[in-house]
Amino acid sequence: MDYPSACPHPPSLRLLVRIVLLIASLALPSAASAQTTANGTIEGRVLNTRNGEFLENARITIEGTALVVLTDSTGQYRLLNVPVGVAKVRAFFTGLEVLTETVVVTGGSVVQRDFNLGDAGKTPAAGKDSGTVKLAQFVVGASKEMDGAAIAINEQRFASNMINVVSADEFGHVAEGNVGEFLKFVPGMAMDTGGGVSRSISIGGAPPDNVPVSIGGFSVASATSGGAGRRVELEQISINNISRIEIYHSPTPESPGSALAGGVNMVPRGAFERSKPQFNWSAFLMFRDAEKQLHKTPGPTRDETYKIRPGFDFSYVVPVNQRFGFTVSGANSSQYTLQDYFSNTWRGAGNTTSAPVVVAGVTVPGALPDTSPDKPYLSNFSISDGNFPSIRNSLGTTADFKLTRNDMISFSFQYAQFYSDFNNRTQTFNIARVLPGQFDARTVNGDVGQGSILSNAGAAEKSGTTYTPSLIWRHNGPTWKADFGGSYSHATNHYRDIDKGYFRTTSAHRTDVTVAFNEITATRPGIITVRDGGSGRLVDPYSLTDYVINSGTSTPTEGADLQRGLKANLARDFQVRGVPFTIKVGAALQQWQRDMNGRSDTYSFVGADKIRTTTPSAAVVDDGAAIILDQGFSQRFAPWGFPRVQYPDGYALWELYNQHPEYFTRDLNAEYRNAVLRSKYAAEVVSAVYIRGDTSLFGGRLKLVG
């Protein structure tokens, strides 16, 4: 629908104003009623004495009444309209002792009463009413993980929707600080991995593009590795700066519309979550069990590197006084990761075969004959020796300032940097043709001269940064609860190769060979034999002297993502004949931009004689791949029981190109079209308003949200 340009306000804003006026009209009778009854107010804070943290969502009740309230993020609570007289106030938090205090309330007064909750099961304090003498509990110790689990259970207990809440302390130290390695333990979640690293989230079967991820309630930017969708990759989000993570499985009106099966919200550390300053730090070494050497060893690049790498993290929470506090946290980690894998291509078990054809009355068998699923045969096998270091740096800070007893401004800044220099080497054996009767599940004999072998090196430098500042004002008054804030999030992602001195992909190959697999198992062929198709002599597939240079490829990619958002919420609590009722309205404005560009340039090798070949021969002597041998990495033993394999070196091939560019040919037309296809831009602006109603029945045992 089109609206006149003279319209001063968009329809969504007019609707929000009408909703606010409706709530205000409903609030006036309640306010007048509250003044005539002249009841009192009880307020205070709830502290966990075990760790010095103020508790969010501790449940405060008045015995014999329907009055129930939960503490806010600073442990603060306020009970309104408390009947005059003696009131028994009960404080409950999962995993801690339940305390009941007697409070005398007078009309129009505000009574301050704080609660200090300790371990459940301890002996009641002196003077407390207890009809049973109980021995003190023998406690061996308490841990951050136990406190974290209690926070998670308590959050889920009192949430108005299906939600999993996980404290950042619940699982202890998280290697590399990758938040994905933390989230994969949460029920109902699946992590999509890439390069051995947890990258993106799937909830309830919904794809990552439909799982929104936010920090402090604001969308976080993510310059993904490819595509212009809404996918958020986790490599540039660090858990060190996070207090807890909320995973909601049943969206509420405040949730983004893209949340098909739920979403993830990460809550930054807060200054008023503790009663006194606390500084935590740790230093550590990280290594893989397969690489435990203290000295430098080959890989992942041309130079040898250390595989045991140091790291550290810290967090500092400082409540300076009753009105101001701040937090600072940071981390540095460096981890060496192995990425070894093999790939089998079985015909008759999901991969295509070729039926025989009749030519001039003669039946010609297909290159890869048909077979039944119970009699598959192996046609391709590849083994990859991959490894890369990943370096993650993060810094987070928050500042909380209480303007009044009911108003607080919170500023948050989250920064993360990710770097990886990966290099994967792959050896491939290909049986392109096999005759009928020359295969079974244990043995495959390729047709003479129809096979090929390939030695490949794939390398790139991946780096990127993400930063997210946000500012929010919160009002937690006796009548109204409101918040208003905005966020700006920006992320970059870079893949580099030739500007770092090497090709993204470097390949050497050989055709016209006969490949045979013997003693085949579910993992690999026990014996692989390669022979020259013409002479029948044995070919060493692990030596580059039997290969020719194929090509080098450069695939640089640049990505940037921007998220800007505003949101506002306003809520009011009511009592309708003793039944608590809440009306909440809100509005949001979100702008998103993602810009990506890249290239894919192929440098085909033709040598000094300008003749491209795929097989070494006495006539063509300038295409041999031995001149680009990776001297360092080829000293490693390949995984899965294979010997040392000679791989091509992307550095050496790039140096050869710079010395002799005439040895290579390029298709500029194809390069231009590739650049156009890789240029992607997406933008959207989403505005929304909502109204929500909540009520609790049967003493809070039944909650209704609409």
Side-chain angles (χ1 to χ4, degrees):
M1 177 181 291
D2 296 328
Y3 293 92
S5 59
C7 180
H9 302 293
S12 59
L13 181 58
R14 296 203 306 271
L15 177 60
L16 178 61
V17 172
R18 291 174 182 173
I19 293 173
V20 173
L21 293 176
L22 173 62
I23 295 179
S25 65
L26 294 173
L28 291 176
S30 297
S33 176
Q35 292 173 0
T36 58
T37 56
N39 291 332
T41 300
I42 303 175
E43 63 181 28
R45 301 180 79 180
V46 181
L47 176 72
N48 181 355
T49 59
R50 192 163 65 185
N51 57 19
E53 291 186 0
F54 288 107
L55 296 172
E56 182 177 7
N57 283 336
R59 189 171 187 262
I60 312 299
T61 59
I62 303 292
E63 292 185 1
T65 72
L67 295 176
V68 180
V69 71
L70 299 176
T71 56
D72 62 16
S73 59
T74 65
Q76 186 78 30
Y77 76 91
R78 181 184 288 111
L79 285 164
L80 303 174
N81 296 323
V82 180
V84 173
V86 177
K88 288 189 175 182
V89 186
R90 186 174 185 268
F92 168 83
F93 191 88
T94 301
L96 301 178
E97 64 173 331
V98 179
L99 284 184
T100 301
E101 298 281 356
T102 301
V103 179
V104 178
V105 180
T106 59
S109 66
V110 178
V111 181
Q112 185 76 24
R113 182 55 55 96
D114 297 333
F115 287 89
N116 297 326
L117 304 185
D119 289 324
K122 283 190 174 181
T123 305
K128 297 279 183 75
D129 184 20
S130 176
T132 304
V133 177
K134 184 185 293 185
L135 295 177
Q137 182 181 13
F138 184 80
V139 180
V140 176
S143 67
K144 294 195 301 180
E145 290 80 3
M146 293 170 59
D147 291 329
I151 291 173
I153 295 171
N154 193 78
E155 290 279 337
Q156 294 163 199
R157 182 193 298 268
F158 297 119
S160 57
N161 58 339
M162 293 179 60
I163 189 172
N164 291 109
V165 180
V166 188
S167 170
D169 293 328
E170 186 170 352
F171 292 114
H173 180 75
V174 177
E176 201 191 4
N178 185 347
V179 70
E181 296 298 315
F182 183 79
L183 287 172
K184 68 183 182 182
F185 296 105
V186 179
M189 301 191 68
M191 302 305 304
D192 292 346
T193 61
V197 178
S198 297
R199 279 194 171 178
S200 55
I201 306 169
S202 175
I203 297 180
D209 279 7
N210 295 103
V211 180
V213 178
S214 58
I215 296 180
F218 295 100
S219 296
V220 59
S222 175
T224 58
S225 301
R230 291 188 175 91
R231 177 191 302 258
V232 175
E233 294 187 350
L234 306 175
E235 292 170 319
Q236 293 169 204
I237 302 176
S238 177
I239 196 173
N240 177 256
N241 306 325
I242 302 301
S243 174
R244 66 180 184 275
I245 301 176
E246 303 167 342
I247 303 98
Y248 54 91
H249 299 277
S250 55
T252 60
E254 301 95 322
S255 306
S258 59
L260 291 186
V264 176
N265 180 48
M266 306 178 193
V267 182
R269 298 181 184 274
F272 294 119
E273 66 182 24
R274 303 198 62 84
S275 60
K276 57 184 179 180
Q278 184 181 55
F279 180 75
N280 294 320
W281 67 275
S282 64
F284 47 84
L285 295 173
M286 289 195 297
F287 61 93
R288 299 287 182 174
D289 183 65
E291 296 277 357
K292 300 186 291 291
Q293 298 87 349
L294 294 175
H295 57 275
K296 292 183 178 181
T297 57
T301 57
R302 167 178 281 186
D303 300 324
E304 294 185 343
T305 59
Y306 290 106
K307 306 306 186 291
I308 299 179
R309 295 169 172 262
F312 71 90
D313 59 50
F314 72 92
S315 64
Y316 191 29
V317 181
V318 187
V320 177
N321 51 45
Q322 294 295 322
R323 300 190 63 184
F324 176 72
F326 67 91
T327 72
V328 179
S329 56
N332 168 268
S333 65
S334 178
Q335 181 173 230
Y336 174 79
T337 300
L338 297 172
Q339 192 181 355
D340 302 336
Y341 63 90
F342 62 86
S343 176
N344 292 322
T345 302
W346 291 87
R347 303 294 167 173
N351 294 290
T352 59
T353 56
S354 50
V357 296
V358 179
V359 179
V362 178
T363 301
V364 179
L368 297 168
D370 289 338
T371 186
S372 57
D374 61 326
K375 297 178 181 179
Y377 62 93
L378 186 66
S379 64
N380 299 74
F381 177 78
S382 63
I383 179 72
S384 180
D385 186 357
N387 48 71
F388 61 93
S390 55
I391 301 173
R392 187 188 306 272
N393 297 298
S394 66
L395 177 66
T397 182
T398 60
D400 298 322
F401 181 70
K402 290 187 176 181
L403 301 174
T404 68
R405 64 185 301 164
N406 299 325
D407 298 273
M408 183 171 69
I409 291 180
S410 298
F411 171 77
S412 172
F413 180 81
Q414 308 295 324
Y415 173 85
Q417 179 189 52
F418 180 83
Y419 171 87
S420 178
D421 199 356
F422 64 84
N423 204 328
N424 298 325
R425 281 78 169 185
T426 304
Q427 180 83 28
T428 302
F429 303 87
N430 177 35
I431 296 178
R433 182 181 180 85
V434 59
L435 299 177
Q438 294 297 311
F439 63 86
D440 57 36
R442 293 277 294 169
T443 301
V444 181
N445 295 311
D447 196 6
V448 177
Q450 299 299 308
S452 63
I453 53 178
L454 174 70
S455 184
N456 185 81
E461 179 192 278
K462 173 180 168 61
S463 63
T465 59
T466 300
Y467 61 90
T468 305
S470 64
L471 183 67
I472 189 167
W473 163 76
R474 295 182 178 90
H475 174 76
N476 187 18
T479 303
W480 297 96
K481 294 178 176 59
D483 61 80
F484 175 78
S487 172
Y488 179 96
S489 184
H490 186 267
T492 60
N493 188 41
H494 318 279
Y495 281 93
R496 306 281 179 77
D497 43 62
I498 58 176
D499 61 329
K500 299 301 178 181
Y502 51 81
F503 279 106
R504 174 69 175 267
T505 303
T506 303
S507 64
H509 65 168
R510 177 170 183 159
T511 62
D512 191 24
V513 292
T514 305
V515 180
F517 298 145
N518 292 278
E519 299 181 10
I520 301 172
T521 66
T523 304
R524 53 158 291 186
I527 300 175
I528 300 177
T529 305
V530 181
R531 295 181 179 274
D532 181 75
S535 64
R537 71 170 182 86
L538 285 174
V539 173
D540 185 359
Y542 311 117
S543 172
L544 280 186
T545 57
D546 282 318
Y547 290 78
V548 295
I549 302 173
N550 182 19
S551 64
T553 303
S554 172
T555 316
T557 303
E558 299 289 332
D561 190 55
L562 173 65
Q563 300 269 359
R564 289 184 286 195
L566 293 172
K567 68 174 184 178
N569 298 286
L570 180 65
R572 170 69 195 267
D573 295 328
F574 302 91
Q575 287 280 342
V576 181
R577 295 185 178 182
V579 177
F581 187 74
T582 301
I583 291 182
K584 185 177 182 181
V585 297
L589 179 66
Q590 184 73 29
Q591 182 187 29
W592 172 66
Q593 294 177 346
R594 180 169 293 173
D595 192 3
M596 305 186 66
N597 60 81
R599 302 182 61 85
S600 181
D601 304 337
T602 299
Y603 299 69
S604 298
F605 187 81
V606 295
D609 58 7
K610 305 298 187 295
I611 301 175
R612 180 169 171 79
T613 183
T614 60
T615 304
S617 66
V620 183
V621 296
D622 63 341
D623 292 348
I627 61 174
I628 59 169
L629 170 66
D630 189 333
Q631 299 283 353
F633 199 87
S634 298
Q635 299 302 311
R636 294 169 55 92
F637 281 93
W640 312 106
F642 282 81
R644 286 191 175 99
V645 179
Q646 292 187 355
Y647 294 103
D649 183 11
Y651 287 95
L653 188 61
W654 177 244
E655 291 166 358
L656 180 61
Y657 171 78
N658 284 284
Q659 295 169 5
H660 298 283
E662 69 276 11
Y663 288 6
F664 297 79
T665 62
R666 299 170 63 182
D667 187 341
L668 299 182
N669 180 31
E671 292 179 6
Y672 175 79
R673 288 186 284 109
N674 285 333
V676 172
L677 292 174
R678 290 172 176 264
S679 177
K680 301 176 182 179
Y681 178 82
E684 68 178 4
V685 176
V686 178
S687 58
V689 296
Y690 74 90
I691 180 170
R692 168 179 168 174
D694 294 59
T695 187
S696 298
L697 304 174
F698 306 113
R701 294 178 178 86
L702 175 64
K703 293 183 179 181
L704 301 177
V705 180

